[in-house]
Amino acid sequence: MMQKEVLNLEEASELLGVSTKTLLKILREEEVPARKIGREWRFSRQALLQWLASGNSLAYTTAAEQGVKEYFDQVAPSYHETRVQQYSKDFCDLVFAQVPLAPEMVVADIGCGTGYLTKALAERVEKVTGVDASTEMLAIAHREMAQANLTNVELVNAEAAHLPFPAGSFDLVFASLLLHHISDPVEVLTEFHRVLKTNGQVVIIDVNEHQHHWVKTEKHDLWLGFSPAELAEWLQEAGFREVHVQDLGCDCYTTNSQGRAAQIKMLIATGRKPAA
């Protein structure tokens, strides 16, 4: 049977081996050879296969995440003040209202940056381990913890996908505004699952899906946010149960080099590591 040269959305998804939902997200975020005719997407089989063949996995992952690290090393001196401005003043209260903390807890803050959330956690629990891939960010976090006289914080330079901790190390794992800088969120969520104790909880705070494409070049975002369904599906794939995703009740504010502002709704997602 002769293969169709012009494909609809469902046929293109089948050719690429992804769901139509995934392909629609890729269409919004990447330059895919396609045309919209009326309300329907149409694809050239040959063009899709050429687009697929021209990809480079190292360029797509390693180089992209290296760019993220270099960006945060560069902006570290001004980032702490910028991040505080991005959040509403009651950001931590909104988070902790949905994630009860106990004084005896051992907590990890992955992608801790300059320690904004780390410091708030350390005031409420027994110990916090802050992890970040940027040495410049961690240098500022060290200064922040010292100024606050917090002695229950350990700061570690590491990648989120390769945490240097034994399995079952933490009661809680937080990741605030990290996942949209990660090329493979499920890989990272699976690593969070590994380092959590049984019945331990993961807390993901990130931005809802949006169309501010300039954040990819100016802020080195690898994803234009996430839908609640997407986050829930990925958490379940990583092994979490009792998964809940909802609006945080707080927006993230950011601006580009031309002064264009973006106000993006934030999500909070939680899941629990079940007994084996």
Side-chain angles (χ1 to χ4, degrees):
M1 180 182 295
M2 181 179 292
Q3 290 183 326
K4 290 178 63 177
E5 177 55 32
V6 177
L7 309 178
N8 62 28
L9 181 66
E10 291 73 19
E11 291 163 342
S13 300
E14 184 177 359
L15 177 67
L16 296 174
V18 299
S19 68
T20 55
K21 181 176 68 175
T22 297
L23 182 52
L24 284 169
K25 186 173 182 65
I26 294 170
L27 289 170
R28 292 196 300 269
E29 299 190 5
E30 299 187 28
E31 294 182 1
V32 180
R35 285 192 179 277
K36 202 166 191 181
I37 302 174
R39 299 176 61 187
E40 301 292 332
W41 284 105
R42 290 296 182 264
F43 307 82
S44 161
R45 174 186 293 274
Q46 182 179 0
L48 269 184
L49 292 175
Q50 288 175 344
W51 171 76
L52 189 64
S54 67
N56 183 314
S57 64
L58 289 178
Y60 195 76
T61 56
T62 306
E65 291 190 358
Q66 180 62 28
V68 172
K69 180 182 179 301
E70 291 173 356
Y71 166 75
F72 281 110
D73 280 343
Q74 180 181 356
V75 302
S78 61
Y79 187 76
H80 187 73
E81 180 180 353
T82 302
R83 171 162 279 200
V84 172
Q85 290 174 349
Q86 285 178 347
Y87 297 149
S88 67
K89 62 183 179 180
D90 55 353
F91 170 77
C92 288
D93 290 338
L94 287 170
V95 173
F96 299 148
Q98 299 187 47
V99 185
L101 301 174
E104 68 275 9
M105 283 182 168
V106 178
V107 179
D109 180 16
I110 314 299
C112 66
T114 58
Y116 178 82
L117 182 59
T118 311
K119 184 161 60 173
L121 286 165
E123 293 167 349
R124 293 165 169 82
V125 301
E126 181 177 321
K127 181 180 178 181
V128 181
T129 299
V131 178
D132 206 278
S134 167
T135 54
E136 298 299 321
M137 287 287 197
L138 288 177
I140 296 172
H142 275 288
R143 183 194 69 197
E144 291 293 317
M145 300 310 130
Q147 289 179 350
N149 293 316
L150 292 170
T151 58
N152 61 334
V153 176
E154 177 186 15
L155 296 172
V156 177
N157 181 218
E159 301 285 343
H162 306 286
L163 298 174
F165 312 116
S169 294
F170 302 103
D171 299 297
L172 276 171
V173 169
F174 278 81
S176 177
L177 296 180
L178 169 71
L179 280 196
H180 65 265
H181 291 294
I182 299 294
S183 60
D184 188 345
V186 175
E187 179 186 29
V188 166
L189 292 173
T190 301
E191 182 69 343
F192 293 173
H193 185 277
R194 182 187 69 81
V195 300
L196 274 169
K197 300 175 183 178
T198 298
N199 278 330
Q201 190 174 29
V202 67
V203 181
I204 304 297
I205 302 155
D206 222 293
V207 291
N208 209 332
E209 56 185 354
H210 60 87
Q211 293 300 309
H212 302 287
H213 288 263
W214 54 264
V215 299
K216 284 198 164 190
T217 53
E218 296 211 12
K219 306 294 182 181
H220 285 263
D221 291 12
L222 301 185
W223 297 84
L224 296 178
F226 310 103
S227 71
E230 201 166 32
L231 276 180
E233 182 179 335
W234 287 346
L235 282 163
Q236 290 165 354
E237 185 176 342
F240 291 100
R241 299 296 178 263
E242 300 177 40
V243 172
H244 301 283
V245 185
Q246 60 191 47
D247 184 79
L248 180 61
C250 174
D251 293 343
C252 180
Y253 299 86
T254 187
T255 57
N256 67 5
S257 56
Q258 283 76 46
R260 181 181 177 184
Q263 181 178 344
I264 308 168
K265 288 188 176 299
M266 298 177 72
L267 300 172
I268 181 167
T270 60
R272 196 168 295 279
K273 179 178 179 177

